[in-house]
Amino acid sequence: MDSVGPVGLQQGEEAAQEGLPCPPGSSELVQECLQQFRVTEAQLRQIQASLLGSMEQALRGQASPALAVRMLPTYVGSIPHGTEQGDFVVLELGATGASLRVLWVTLTGIEGRQIEPRSKEFVIPQEVMLGPGQQLFDFAARCLSEFLDELPVGGQGLQLGFNFSFPCHQTGLDKSTLISWTKGFQCSGVEGQDVVELLRDSIARQGTYSINVVAVVNDTVGTMMGCQPGARPCEIGLVVDTGTNACYMEEARHVAELDEDRGRICISIEWGSFSDDGALGPVLTTFDHTLDQESLNPGAQRFEKMIGGLYLGELVRLVLVHLARLGVLFGGCISPALLRPEAFLLEHMAEMEHPSAGAAHVHAILQDLGLSPGASDAELVQHVCAAVCTRAAQLCAAALAAVLTRLQHSREQQTLQVAVATGGRVFERHPRFLRVLQETVKLLAPECDVSFTPSVDGGGRGVAMVTAVAARLAAHRHLLEETLAPFRLTLEQLAVVQAQMREAMVKGLRGEASSLRMLPTYVRATPDGSERGDFLALDLGGTNFRVLLVRVATAGVQLASQIYSIPERVAQGSGQQLFDHIVDCIMDFQQKQGLRGQSLPLGFTFSFPCRQLGLDQGILLNWTKGFNASDCEGQDVVCLLREAIQRRQAVELNVVAIVNDTVGTMMSCGYEDPRCEVGLIVGTGTNACYMEELQNVAGMAGDSGHMCINMEWGAFGDDGSLSMLSTCFDASVDQASINPGKQRFEKMISGMYLGEIVRHILLHLTSLGVLFRGQQTQRLQTKDIFKTKFLSEIESDSLALRQVRAILEDLGLPLTSDDALMVLEVCQAVSQRAAQLCGAGVAAVVEKIRENRGLEELTVSVGVDGTLYKLHPHFSSLVAATVQKLAPRCAVTFLQSEDGSGKGAALVTAVACRLAQVAHV
């Protein structure tokens, strides 16, 4: 493949340097020399792929020493979002050689308003640089005090960011162990020590100011964090100064070194040490080899030596010496100054490449080196500078393209939109470098939409921003924990709920005042497997109504069903209108199934609070779930159904049983498991039933046998017994409901309300500035906008954070990764409380059964239905774990019901028919 040129980057172009033709008569020798600096697209793609592969290896903890890409976590978990404010102190050590800089940085939190930092530089004496470590850090502490003495600080506590520019192993935002000194420092007793602790000890010994060292930061991270928040997130920092490095925000779950599965963390790539011979070998020139051998660290930092500003001037010098020896330059003359390493500096290259004054600068610089440039020499020297600079930019672009590809793949985005913060003198002084970099990135990563933003003082403002973000996150964390604390229930609190429910059960069974109605269902047995026949089932319990044909045979249970909707006008109209609609649906179903004229036994699942007076008699106590049909409460719903049947004389139905959906769930599972004696619903609403000893049920004749009790436990706590667990968010949801003060237990557990609880918490956290930058959105103000299904989706272990963000963004909530994590925590807290309360209730029920039967240990199954229980990724396991803790003498198995409302109603009817036949015989 042909060479890649510096601008335009079309595949057929040679690296002609922006209109700088080779001087006549020297083209072959010059072309042969500079051809080594020309890089093909294929070579750049190989470097991109190799670096990407070594990055991913290192993230997995499988780093190869030969590739030397370290991928170090920096423990910076969030980028600025523009609201950070306050005063911060920054201490820079090692960023500027033998000096130390202290800065006072004020962040306003207001877009476009910046206050210039105050700073002071202190020269570090040679004896301090080479003396004991304590002496160095005591010197830093004195400099801090001296700087702060000049400011009106008073007695306020100060937050400090520490820019420590030496090789370190970081294990926390404020924990960093020095690996080795560089840059002329050699203080004893520091290598292998946590430099933050050493600084804290010295500040404490100084004792003048209250200073909290919040974060230790390297300059690359500071560059990224110093980028002004814009339209797209700045999640990459790129430094090309004396050396080069990059950092970016990685998904924490991909970093093997961390025990995190959510959120993001900034990774320092340390790509200067990248040294894959397979990828870099073809683009290394003889000049690169010479430079490496003459360096202080031969064989190390190979990639950096092709890009970093410390080396570019030296590469130019080596090329000029070579061309002069060939007689192409300076008439073949070589001055002693030109032979001296580092005679050519980065600053010289920048001056010589100046668009208008470049030629004059070339003559001046060469003359300072004792050379007498000829007429064509200036042009040729510029050509050499351009070739070296262009290659450096292209190689840097290949590395950046690897980072962009990594980001795009890890976030599974078709198009990645991201800002790159740039820092370092190469960017500041070489406009060509950035132009070539941008064009090459477009070629190598066309699916990435990248903008480049110069960082504003990464070492100062950037480090202050890291500190500010850490302070913001800590403050927000405190407010979040404070808000969610009431939802985090202790085992003791749950045991109290269990005891209260047990007490309410006993009172309800005796007919005493209780928030648990404990209603007899007149279901006296669970299936024994001998039931046979065809049955109809009706299922009314929500906005959809089902009619089913259920065939119970030796081979099992077969179902045919149809769903019919119940319009809101019908659900809240007259009772006659509602039951006429139900019968119309039954007639339609019978016609479609070819059942016209047949009178099959029918079970009616009616999932609303009823007081049953017999198996086919049920008095509606009150509507729930949004129903409010008139003239129904206090009436026998079976009679209302039979009256509607009579009004539609074309249908014949034998209504055998009215069944609560919870009972149907128990019976459905009981057909498969005879130990199933408890039914549980956790869906739109919640309820439970169980088989009680008949002798314990007040008002029921008989001292032997069992009776299924419909607990109607959604109303548990309506007497105020749950007030100690109720939060202000529960109160808001209750007050906005159609039945304030009622169904308090249900409103803390069921799917109809959990999304609303979450929404009220999010509103509260937004008002505190913790979420969504404190900006209230109209969508979040809308009742029921946050569906409970979102909790199940957001808490799914299979969802990456980006998918959580997508769910919330679909609600019109523009949010950061931090917001997404906090919303996740809110959802987890609300659903965990719901599951634990549900578990406390189940524990009360199974313990009651065990004690009823005088057993040391009880083995029992619970049949469960409901979308929240079935679809939420953790609800079922949390319920089971709570029951195990609160009822350790009960071995409880949870069985998910298959169509308890339909199949269960038919089985209640089938059991009733079986018992009736036995009684008749």
Side-chain angles (χ1 to χ4, degrees):
M1 181 180 287
D2 290 329
S3 299
V4 178
V7 177
L9 298 159
Q10 301 303 313
Q11 292 183 9
E13 291 184 4
E14 296 290 331
Q17 305 299 321
E18 298 190 13
L20 295 176
C22 296
S26 62
S27 60
E28 286 188 17
L29 290 172
V30 172
Q31 289 291 348
E32 182 183 340
C33 175
L34 297 187
Q35 182 67 32
Q36 297 179 66
F37 289 93
R38 291 183 177 135
V39 189
T40 66
E41 181 183 334
Q43 289 170 332
L44 291 172
R45 291 195 183 279
Q46 186 177 1
I47 292 168
Q48 176 186 3
S50 176
L51 181 60
L52 177 60
S54 61
M55 286 169 62
E56 291 177 341
Q57 263 190 295
L59 286 172
R60 292 192 297 266
Q62 304 167 342
S64 163
L67 301 182
V69 174
R70 300 182 66 188
M71 305 298 285
L72 303 177
T74 67
Y75 298 88
V76 172
S78 177
I79 59 174
H81 61 35
T83 63
E84 291 78 12
Q85 55 186 314
D87 297 318
F88 301 91
V89 181
V90 174
L91 173 64
E92 287 183 352
L93 182 59
T96 51
S99 66
L100 175 152
R101 189 166 71 129
V102 185
L103 301 94
W104 179 274
V105 181
T106 299
L107 302 175
T108 65
I110 301 171
E111 185 178 352
R113 185 186 170 196
Q114 289 191 30
I115 298 175
E116 195 65 27
R118 303 183 191 183
S119 66
K120 187 172 184 178
E121 198 158 328
F122 299 85
V123 176
I124 305 174
Q126 185 75 7
E127 63 271 18
V128 173
M129 292 175 64
L130 303 175
Q134 182 174 320
Q135 183 181 4
L136 172 65
F137 286 95
D138 283 350
F139 174 79
R142 286 197 303 274
C143 294
L144 269 171
S145 291
E146 184 180 325
F147 174 75
L148 294 172
D149 286 343
E150 300 173 6
L151 299 173
V153 174
Q156 64 175 304
L158 303 173
Q159 300 183 93
L160 181 142
F162 188 17
N163 183 359
F164 189 73
S165 300
F166 299 92
C168 287
H169 177 61
Q170 201 163 344
T171 55
L173 188 61
D174 61 346
K175 296 178 177 64
S176 191
T177 302
L178 177 65
I179 297 170
S180 59
W181 285 114
T182 56
K183 307 177 184 179
F185 285 75
Q186 200 57 53
C187 299
S188 60
V190 181
E191 292 179 355
Q193 300 297 311
D194 183 345
V195 295
V196 175
E197 284 305 312
L198 294 174
L199 178 60
R200 283 174 174 157
D201 290 344
S202 291
I203 291 172
R205 279 193 295 272
Q206 186 72 21
T208 315
Y209 293 96
S210 172
I211 299 174
N212 176 26
V213 184
V214 174
V216 59
V217 187
N218 74 28
D219 56 347
T220 315
V221 179
T223 294
M224 181 185 78
M225 297 295 281
C227 181
Q228 289 287 345
R232 60 188 65 186
C234 182
E235 297 188 285
I236 300 175
L238 172 58
V239 170
V240 189
D241 199 89
T242 51
T244 181
N245 191 22
C247 67
Y248 74 103
M249 298 300 292
E250 175 62 82
E251 303 295 318
R253 70 182 185 278
H254 295 149
V255 185
E257 185 178 330
L258 303 176
D259 186 23
E260 293 285 342
D261 60 355
R262 297 282 186 177
R264 292 176 181 165
I265 191 162
C266 180
I267 296 291
S268 178
I269 302 171
E270 301 296 327
W271 72 15
S273 55
F274 176 60
S275 55
D276 179 13
D277 287 337
L280 292 185
V283 297
L284 286 168
T285 69
T286 55
F287 308 107
D288 294 303
H289 289 295
T290 302
L291 182 148
D292 180 53
Q293 289 304 311
E294 294 177 355
S295 69
L296 295 173
N297 54 350
Q301 300 296 107
R302 298 301 299 271
F303 194 58
E304 181 168 88
K305 288 170 183 172
M306 303 167 80
I307 295 175
L310 186 63
Y311 306 100
L312 296 186
E314 184 63 5
L315 283 172
V316 169
R317 186 189 70 81
L318 291 172
V319 174
L320 297 185
V321 169
H322 173 72
L323 292 175
R325 283 175 175 158
L326 293 177
V328 176
L329 270 180
F330 317 135
C333 296
I334 303 174
S335 68
L338 187 62
L339 292 172
R340 190 176 69 248
E342 300 180 13
F344 255 77
L345 302 176
L346 178 66
E347 290 76 9
H348 294 148
M349 289 181 64
E351 291 171 2
M352 291 191 294
E353 287 193 77
H354 192 278
S356 57
H361 287 309
V362 171
H363 281 282
I365 292 167
L366 294 177
Q367 285 169 357
D368 287 345
L369 292 173
L371 298 166
S372 301
S376 63
D377 288 345
E379 209 170 301
L380 184 51
V381 169
Q382 287 181 299
H383 199 62
V384 172
C385 289
V388 171
C389 180
T390 295
R391 185 191 68 162
Q394 290 171 339
L395 295 177
C396 187
L400 179 57
V403 178
L404 292 167
T405 303
R406 170 68 201 158
L407 270 177
Q408 183 190 18
H409 289 173
S410 67
R411 299 182 187 179
E412 300 176 31
Q413 294 179 348
Q414 286 189 338
T415 302
L416 176 72
Q417 290 190 324
V418 69
V420 177
T422 58
R425 287 176 296 167
V426 173
F427 282 111
E428 293 166 6
R429 301 178 185 183
H430 283 265
R432 172 201 300 279
F433 189 94
L434 181 57
R435 286 200 302 274
V436 175
L437 177 79
Q438 289 173 317
E439 293 295 335
T440 311
V441 165
K442 282 183 184 176
L443 174 71
L444 300 178
E447 63 287 346
C448 298
D449 183 5
V450 186
S451 62
F452 292 84
T453 306
S455 179
V456 182
D457 188 12
R461 188 177 186 277
V463 174
M465 189 59 77
V466 172
T467 311
V469 168
R472 168 173 61 80
L473 291 177
H476 287 180
R477 166 59 49 189
H478 175 74
L479 290 169
L480 180 67
E481 291 297 333
E482 193 174 63
T483 300
L484 297 182
F487 291 88
R488 307 195 196 284
L489 304 182
T490 64
L491 195 60
E492 291 74 19
Q493 287 175 303
L494 293 169
V496 169
V497 173
Q498 178 186 10
Q500 287 176 328
M501 180 166 282
R502 174 66 185 277
E503 182 182 351
M505 290 170 68
V506 172
K507 287 183 176 180
L509 288 169
R510 291 175 183 162
E512 299 173 6
S514 170
S515 61
L516 291 179
R517 291 188 172 114
M518 305 300 286
L519 306 172
T521 66
Y522 295 85
V523 171
R524 298 172 182 266
T526 54
D528 66 2
S530 67
E531 293 79 10
R532 299 289 183 272
D534 290 347
F535 306 90
L536 280 177
L538 314 181
D539 176 15
L540 177 64
T543 53
N544 291 326
F545 168 66
R546 287 190 308 155
V547 186
L548 303 94
L549 172 63
V550 182
R551 177 161 293 161
V552 184
T554 307
V557 178
Q558 296 178 320
L559 303 176
S561 67
Q562 177 140 357
I563 296 174
Y564 299 89
S565 66
I566 296 185
E568 186 176 353
R569 59 179 173 76
V570 173
Q572 298 190 8
S574 68
Q576 181 173 321
Q577 186 181 9
L578 173 63
F579 283 93
D580 283 350
H581 178 74
I582 291 170
V583 173
D584 288 342
C585 293
I586 296 171
M587 292 171 61
D588 178 76
F589 180 78
Q590 283 187 312
Q591 183 173 351
K592 289 177 179 176
Q593 295 293 326
L595 299 175
R596 293 297 291 270
Q598 295 188 42
S599 179
L600 297 178
L602 181 147
F604 183 15
T605 297
F606 189 72
S607 304
F608 300 91
C610 284
R611 180 173 298 282
Q612 282 192 247
L613 305 178
L615 191 60
D616 63 347
Q617 292 176 277
I619 307 300
L620 174 64
L621 297 177
N622 58 275
W623 285 116
T624 58
K625 306 176 190 178
F627 277 71
N628 198 25
S630 62
D631 301 322
C632 294
E633 292 181 356
Q635 301 298 311
D636 181 350
V637 292
V638 175
C639 285
L640 294 176
L641 178 62
R642 285 171 175 158
E643 288 170 3
I645 292 170
Q646 290 175 357
R647 284 194 293 274
R648 301 286 197 271
Q649 295 178 355
V651 60
E652 292 185 25
L653 295 172
N654 175 23
V655 184
V656 172
I658 179 170
V659 184
N660 175 274
D661 58 346
T662 318
V663 179
T665 294
M666 181 187 75
M667 297 294 275
S668 173
C669 292
Y671 187 76
E672 312 294 335
D673 181 355
R675 295 177 303 180
C676 183
E677 296 188 84
V678 182
L680 172 65
I681 298 284
V682 193
T684 308
T686 183
N687 193 17
C689 69
Y690 72 103
M691 298 303 291
E692 177 59 85
E693 305 300 310
L694 186 61
Q695 63 185 7
N696 293 335
V697 185
M700 300 298 300
D703 292 328
S704 63
H706 299 94
M707 169 73 75
C708 180
I709 297 296
N710 169 20
M711 295 177 66
E712 290 298 335
W713 82 0
F716 175 57
D718 286 3
D719 57 359
S721 57
L722 287 178
S723 58
M724 77 289 190
L725 298 183
S726 183
T727 69
C728 60
F729 310 109
D730 295 303
S732 296
V733 170
D734 178 53
Q735 287 303 309
S737 70
I738 61 172
N739 55 350
K742 297 181 179 179
Q743 300 295 106
R744 300 305 295 269
F745 195 57
E746 180 168 271
K747 287 171 183 172
M748 301 171 86
I749 291 178
S750 74
M752 189 169 191
Y753 303 100
L754 297 192
E756 266 298 277
I757 295 172
V758 168
R759 185 181 71 86
H760 280 279
I761 296 173
L762 300 186
L763 284 171
H764 172 70
L765 291 173
T766 305
S767 71
L768 295 176
V770 173
L771 281 178
F772 317 132
R773 299 181 176 88
Q775 299 171 1
Q776 297 281 0
T777 64
Q778 190 58 44
R779 291 292 296 279
L780 199 56
Q781 305 278 349
T782 306
K783 187 175 184 288
D784 295 326
I785 192 71
F786 201 96
K787 305 295 183 187
T788 296
K789 70 172 185 175
F790 296 150
L791 275 75
S792 299
E793 294 172 358
I794 286 170
E795 292 184 60
S796 171
D797 294 328
S798 63
L799 284 194
L801 198 60
R802 65 169 185 83
Q803 292 165 299
V804 175
R805 291 182 66 176
I807 291 168
L808 298 171
E809 284 167 354
D810 284 345
L811 291 175
L813 303 176
L815 73 170
T816 64
S817 296
D818 299 326
D819 291 333
L821 276 173
M822 284 190 276
V823 171
L824 169 65
E825 282 196 59
V826 171
C827 292
Q828 287 172 332
V830 171
S831 59
Q832 177 175 291
R833 183 189 68 163
Q836 289 177 327
L837 288 173
C838 185
V842 173
V845 171
V846 295
E847 273 293 300
K848 177 81 164 64
I849 296 174
R850 183 186 68 79
E851 292 182 18
N852 280 346
R853 298 177 188 178
L855 299 174
E856 279 297 313
E857 293 187 356
L858 171 71
T859 299
V860 67
S861 296
V862 179
V864 194
D865 204 351
T867 52
L868 180 60
Y869 184 92
K870 288 183 173 180
L871 299 182
H872 190 281
H874 308 298
F875 197 95
S876 59
S877 60
L878 286 167
V879 170
T882 305
V883 173
Q884 189 175 26
K885 289 175 183 174
L886 295 176
R889 295 163 72 181
C890 299
V892 182
T893 300
F894 290 86
L895 305 171
Q896 289 199 22
S897 168
E898 294 181 12
D899 196 9
S901 299
K903 175 181 168 184
L907 285 168
V908 170
T909 308
V911 169
C913 291
R914 170 173 63 81
L915 294 177
Q917 286 176 346
V918 170
H920 179 72
V921 170

